[in-house]
Amino acid sequence: MAEAASFLLNEELVAIPTETVYGLAGNALNAAVVLKIFEAKERPSFDPLIVHIPSKEVALLYAKDVPPVALMLMEAFWPGPLTLVLKKKSIIPDVVTSGLDTVGLRMPNHPMTLALLNTIDFPLAAPSANPFGYISPTTAQHVVDQLHSKIAMVLDGGACTVGVESTIVGFENGETVIYRLGGLTLEDIRKVAGDVVVCVNSSSDPKAPGMLKSHYAPSKPLYISNDLNSLIKINENYRLAVICFGNVKINEQHAVYNLSVKSDFKEAASNLFSFLRAIDQRNDIDVIVAALLPEANLGYAINDRLWRAAVK
Ligand code: TXA
Ligand code: MG
């Protein structure tokens, strides 16, 4: 931890654990460091970064005109998988927010990273610690596999418990808007915020977040459907990996990756990215097929990732 803090103080990048996915972190108040993050990820400069803070009080140092419903959401769900897009104060460099006048703020729920954030006196800009467009990392090893030459260290906090990125929420004209479905469910957000507008449509011009059509994508082709059996049949001449959910029977000749045999959405979310990575590394698989999950709970966020990862 001390080493991580000192690297960060010295303008280096450190990969940090969070409950959702690993982040590629650097001093959010230092524009030169933030540029290094974009370079290491090969991320286009129009895609803004999330700023990680250790408390609600610290969040309010960087945001202004915070609507009451945002304060209620912080109170209810921080620390946790919720990013709030708020009007930014000028202390946040424009490069962090890709020139937007808002900043995405999140208090992550991981003891190591919270302790780290409390040790240093600046917030951490951290996108997911993967090359742009590829599957997000949910273990320290995933980060090392792809970014080891570009970062000073990885703080190993174990496997991420949530496994999909934070839900991103903003506020426009008095409405609460969901920009990215994620680890905090819509059902939970509605309990605190009431009605919300879901605006997660794909776009090649993401003024809005994580909305790029193609993202989270493995190198092998991935096909998705509600009708898994037909999908398997169409692709039966390939060596298949089958991603499924719940108590289903799949022909043993295929490599079967069941996200959760007992239909547990949480378990499924925590398995999704590590399954995709594991399959992507196999030499004996040509094509991945996946069943879409029921549209409820974390099923929305998981399906969103599958849609973006799939062949268009
Ligand atoms: O769970 C997470 O959110 C993880 C962990 C590391 O905290 N981070 C993450 O970061 O997923 P990233 O960079 O992979 O995705 C952040 C998304 C981007 O798609 C970006 O467009 C959006 O957040 N975003 C950030 N600031 C924004 C803003 N001011 N307005 C709209 N979208 C914003
Ligand atoms: Mg990402």
Side-chain angles (χ1 to χ4, degrees):
M1 295 280 290
E3 218 179 326
S6 100
F7 277 129
L8 290 165
L9 277 167
N10 287 312
E11 310 196 335
E12 304 262 13
L13 306 185
V14 171
I16 54 166
T18 83
E19 78 281 31
T20 58
V21 301
Y22 274 74
L24 176 59
N27 182 347
L29 303 184
N30 182 325
V33 172
V34 172
L35 280 174
K36 275 198 202 175
I37 299 176
F38 279 93
E39 267 167 39
K41 268 198 74 128
E42 295 175 39
R43 179 183 180 107
S45 59
F46 59 71
D47 197 4
L49 305 181
I50 293 173
V51 173
H52 297 69
I53 37 78
S55 67
K56 179 177 159 188
E57 289 67 35
V58 174
L60 298 177
L61 299 176
Y62 304 115
K64 59 184 184 188
D65 307 334
V66 179
V69 60
L71 295 171
M72 287 157 62
L73 288 166
M74 289 178 196
E75 208 56 67
F77 301 118
W78 276 1
L82 168 69
T83 295
L84 295 171
V85 173
L86 298 167
K87 281 261 172 309
K88 89 176 183 78
K89 288 187 181 164
S90 58
I91 183 171
I92 299 286
D94 288 334
V95 28
V96 173
T97 63
S98 304
L100 297 175
D101 64 353
T102 54
V103 58
L105 290 167
R106 167 162 127 79
M107 179 183 177
N109 190 14
H110 193 291
M112 274 173 123
T113 291
L114 283 174
L116 179 66
L117 285 166
N118 278 308
T119 314
I120 54 183
D121 61 357
F122 48 83
L124 291 174
S128 52
N130 51 280
F132 184 72
Y134 194 66
I135 306 160
S136 300
T138 54
T139 66
Q141 187 62 48
H142 291 164
V143 180
V144 173
D145 287 345
Q146 292 189 302
L147 293 181
H148 68 282
S149 62
K150 308 202 169 160
I151 52 181
M153 75 179 282
V154 182
L155 202 51
D156 188 349
C160 301
T161 51
V162 174
V164 291
E165 295 83 352
S166 59
T167 303
I168 303 182
V169 180
F171 309 92
E172 289 179 34
N173 311 318
E175 287 188 314
T176 303
V177 185
I178 311 293
Y179 297 125
R180 179 173 74 184
L181 300 163
L184 182 65
T185 65
L186 286 177
E187 292 89 330
D188 278 342
I189 293 173
R190 286 195 181 106
K191 276 182 213 149
V192 172
D195 279 351
V196 300
V197 179
V198 180
C199 177
V200 296
N201 289 333
S202 312
S203 159
S204 54
D205 173 26
K207 168 211 129 84
M211 288 178 137
L212 292 173
K213 261 189 202 153
S214 183
H215 217 73
Y216 316 107
S219 323
K220 297 186 199 298
L222 165 70
Y223 298 100
I224 56 175
S225 174
N226 285 311
D227 183 353
L228 186 59
N229 286 327
S230 303
L231 196 55
I232 292 174
K233 208 162 170 45
I234 296 166
N235 289 287
E236 68 190 352
N237 292 332
Y238 296 103
R239 296 175 301 171
L240 283 188
V242 179
I243 298 179
C244 55
F245 177 75
N247 184 16
V248 290
K249 275 230 155 36
I250 311 287
N251 188 329
E252 304 263 308
Q253 82 189 64
H254 307 303
V256 180
Y257 288 79
N258 197 322
L259 292 169
S260 173
V261 177
K262 52 181 198 262
S263 299
D264 177 343
F265 285 110
K266 277 201 167 141
E267 182 181 33
S270 72
N271 280 329
L272 178 67
F273 288 145
S274 51
F275 280 7
L276 282 171
R277 276 185 186 250
I279 296 167
D280 219 21
Q281 282 176 4
R282 288 180 61 158
N283 297 324
D284 58 343
I285 298 292
D286 306 313
V287 169
I288 313 168
V289 294
L292 289 166
L293 273 68
E295 292 274 306
N297 197 276
L298 291 172
Y300 293 109
I302 295 170
N303 287 347
D304 172 272
R305 303 304 182 272
L306 287 171
W307 273 105
R308 290 179 210 274
V311 173
K312 308 294 181 300

